[in-house]
Amino acid sequence: MATMLMLSSAGFMMQSCSTDELTGQPSWLGNSIYERLQEDGNFGYTLRLIDDLDQTAVLSQTGSKTLFVADDAAFNEFFKSNSWGVRRYEDLTNAQKKLLLNSAMINNAYLVELLSNVSGNPPEEGECMRRATAVSVYDSISRIYPADMPMTESWDKYRDHTNGIVLLRDNTTKPMIHFLPAYMNKKNITDDDLNILTNGGSTSTADAWVNGMKIVERDIACKNGYIHKVDGVMTSADNMAGIIGSHANMSLFSRLLNRFSAPYYDDDATKAYNRLYNNTDSVFVLKYFSPTRAENDPSGMPVEAMLSFDPGWNQYSVGSGVNYDAGAIIVPSNEALDFWWNHDGKVLQDMYKTWDNVPMTVLVKLMNIGMVNSFSETVPSKFQNIVDNTTKVKLGVQPSDVDSCFMGCNGVVYLLNKVFSPADYSSVSFPALVNENTMNVIYWGISNLDFEPYLNSMDSYYSFIIPTNDAMLQYIDPCSYGNPNTILYQFYYDKETKTVKARRYNYDMTIQNIVPGDPLPDASDAQVRDRLEDLLDNLIIVGNVEDGNTYYKTKGGSFIKVKNAGQAGTMTVAGGLQGEMGNELKVTTIYDM
């Protein structure tokens, strides 16, 4: 009999260590989760949540659940101060009750040591930092009113809706974020990292943290799962955009961030919401322009500028999936942004006067400088991995720059006391970036043909000849030199498609004019890109054209003749064609970058 008992125990232990799901429970495990909470006597608020949400039967019967619970003392502290402004249990809305219970519950049974495993055969040990909870996207739906809508064209359509619009902050559920010893060890996260991430709450990676709360008692076994006690009331972790939007000292960055947002009508969400709540509202989903979520605006047209990723996407991930990693955003405080605006950013202030006037194509460079794809590879001890988006040069972020840290369901927000300027704002391509009305044709080529990393490099000194949009209407195709029919390209920026296109004409080199008659077919996208790439190669000179020479070799291998270097208004440049025809081009403005 004793031998059989040992075999049974050994079989259970092997199951617990090799899988993260309990498929059955021996009778000796004791009472259900609900009954265990009753027996303890210190979890009255949690039991009220379970009863009020009709989950009593679910948590009293066999099944597989993991519940993170705070005792009544923790709830009493929660009611003294919380972001909801709720001061007693009776004032909680049904939606708030759902968030409190469901965001602390996983629909499988997990020991703490197994929470950091990703399911598989075999399981991937120490790889998990996020996982799904029992929360639903419909547990909390908000309404946004005109006064709170960002002042952008995407929101203007709804600004006359005095009752606002029903808005899902995201149509994906918020995963739980946990920092567990096995994960931190696997990812080389240090004690000092955790100290910063928890704002001094923990100094040891032996601690286990879930949605910002420390697990103080773990692995309480019940016949239908596990209870883990935490040191405070867990609420559903907000996403990075939500964290930024709710913090008073990030309000300026939030306002700038929201310029890249738009409400997108969601038919499935509308049907589900109206079925659940017996309404007839249209439901919209908040999205941020990014390659990961929204490359087009709500009308289906391409957007001019995109963030590196959508900070409002609850399940944002790079690579294998939501379990493995999350993002991070370095956010300058209001004071830091104000200081930068009056010092290093003064060139933008002089040009645009206010933050709201800075074009999105210019502003996005500043926003993206702090958007980091991988949290685990850029924790404070690995801040050297945070680089400029285009040059890939280290930004130089130091742990001492961090004021405070906030853990979100899709990443971590670092509040910083300084601004890191993108290389775009000090490179030779900057004039083309900021003069969007007169130079956006050539800048589209810089941005879309991979010239940004080259021109933004601070390891070399460049001279860059920038043609205006008017100049780009007079491009003689070098591929047609010597042919009976010379071809003229007229490049222009198409505001609807947000791309550069080109009309083509037969051109008479003798009279230097377009040949009368019907134009040629417009250039194909491939032709536009090919000609622009060749043109850019021959507008870039590695070195300083003001060093006293007359001829300079371009990146593309051609030669440029320079006269009166450094004297705006009298300085001229000439390529091979201009030299042959005696048409030297005047340099009207010189930018010293």
Side-chain angles (χ1 to χ4, degrees), residues 37 40-50 67-79 100-101 104 213-217 220 227-235:
L37 294 174
D40 188 283
N42 291 311
F43 298 98
Y45 286 115
T46 299
L47 290 168
R48 289 176 72 178
L49 287 173
I50 294 170
L67 189 64
F68 298 86
V69 297
D71 61 22
D72 291 340
F75 266 95
N76 288 331
E77 289 300 313
F78 172 76
F79 288 125
L100 288 173
L101 181 63
M213 298 298 166
K214 185 177 178 180
I215 298 178
V216 293
E217 188 175 350
I220 303 170
I227 295 172
H228 306 295
K229 185 179 176 182
V230 291
D231 66 352
V233 176
M234 273 177 47
T235 56

Side-chain angles (χ1 to χ4, degrees), residues 203-274:
T203 57
S204 173
T205 54
D207 293 336
W209 289 78
V210 180
N211 274 7
M213 298 298 166
K214 185 177 178 180
I215 298 178
V216 293
E217 188 175 350
R218 62 180 68 180
D219 303 339
I220 303 170
C222 304
K223 69 182 181 183
N224 60 343
Y226 289 107
I227 295 172
H228 306 295
K229 185 179 176 182
V230 291
D231 66 352
V233 176
M234 273 177 47
T235 56
S236 185
D238 210 342
N239 57 50
M240 290 183 281
I243 290 171
I244 294 167
S246 63
H247 196 288
N249 207 14
M250 301 188 216
S251 59
L252 177 51
F253 189 89
S254 179
R255 191 177 93 213
L256 301 178
L257 191 70
N258 286 336
R259 289 182 59 187
F260 297 85
S261 71
Y264 291 77
Y265 173 75
D266 191 305
D267 189 58
D268 290 339
T270 296
K271 291 174 182 175
Y273 171 77
N274 289 328

Side-chain angles (χ1 to χ4, degrees), residues 56 81 106 111 113 130 150-151 167 223 227 256 278 308 320 327 339 355 357 378 389 453 472 512 531 575 590:
T56 308
S81 176
I106 301 173
L111 294 162
E113 67 176 286
R130 292 191 292 167
M151 300 301 293
L167 187 73
K223 69 182 181 183
I227 295 172
L256 301 178
N278 195 28
S308 296
S320 303
F339 182 86
W355 279 107
N357 287 338
T378 52
N389 304 78
M472 294 298 289
Q512 299 184 38
R531 299 304 185 272
I590 299 174

Side-chain angles (χ1 to χ4, degrees), residues 502-533:
R503 295 177 287 266
R504 298 192 309 154
Y505 301 89
N506 283 315
Y507 189 80
D508 190 326
M509 295 289 287
T510 304
I511 63 172
Q512 299 184 38
N513 212 335
I514 292 172
V515 175
D518 294 333
L520 299 171
D522 286 352
S524 66
D525 291 342
Q527 287 174 316
V528 168
R529 298 176 75 91
D530 179 77
R531 299 304 185 272
L532 283 179
E533 184 171 0

Side-chain angles (χ1 to χ4, degrees), residues 54-63 65 105 224:
D54 297 324
Q55 295 296 303
T56 308
V58 173
L59 292 170
S60 297
Q61 299 169 0
T62 57
K65 299 286 184 181
M105 184 162 59
N224 60 343

Side-chain angles (χ1 to χ4, degrees), residues 77-196:
E77 289 300 313
F78 172 76
F79 288 125
K80 288 179 183 178
S81 176
N82 58 72
S83 60
W84 295 341
V86 176
R87 297 293 172 257
R88 57 177 189 158
Y89 180 90
E90 290 75 16
D91 294 334
L92 288 170
T93 66
N94 201 54
Q96 290 168 339
K97 291 177 183 179
K98 287 181 179 180
L99 286 176
L100 288 173
L101 181 63
N102 292 336
S103 62
M105 184 162 59
I106 301 173
N107 292 325
N108 274 313
Y110 290 93
L111 294 162
V112 167
E113 67 176 286
L114 299 179
L115 274 171
S116 56
N117 291 356
V118 177
S119 298
N121 188 19
E124 298 178 71
E125 297 181 0
E127 291 287 353
C128 185
M129 71 171 292
R130 292 191 292 167
R131 65 176 64 251
T133 66
V135 75
S136 163
V137 294
Y138 302 107
D139 284 348
S140 178
I141 295 181
S142 60
R143 186 177 287 272
I144 186 169
Y145 294 91
D148 299 318
M149 293 177 183
M151 300 301 293
T152 67
E153 187 176 338
S154 296
W155 291 91
D156 287 345
K157 182 178 179 181
Y158 308 102
R159 214 169 299 283
D160 62 349
H161 289 45
T162 54
N163 292 325
I165 59 174
V166 178
L167 187 73
L168 281 173
R169 297 291 172 173
D170 188 27
N171 58 350
T172 61
T173 56
K174 294 178 178 179
M176 173 183 290
I177 184 167
H178 46 58
F179 296 135
L180 306 174
Y183 177 84
M184 290 187 281
N185 182 61
K186 187 73 174 279
K187 302 298 181 181
N188 297 315
I189 295 174
T190 68
D191 291 343
D192 288 340
D193 289 334
L194 189 61
N195 183 39
I196 293 173

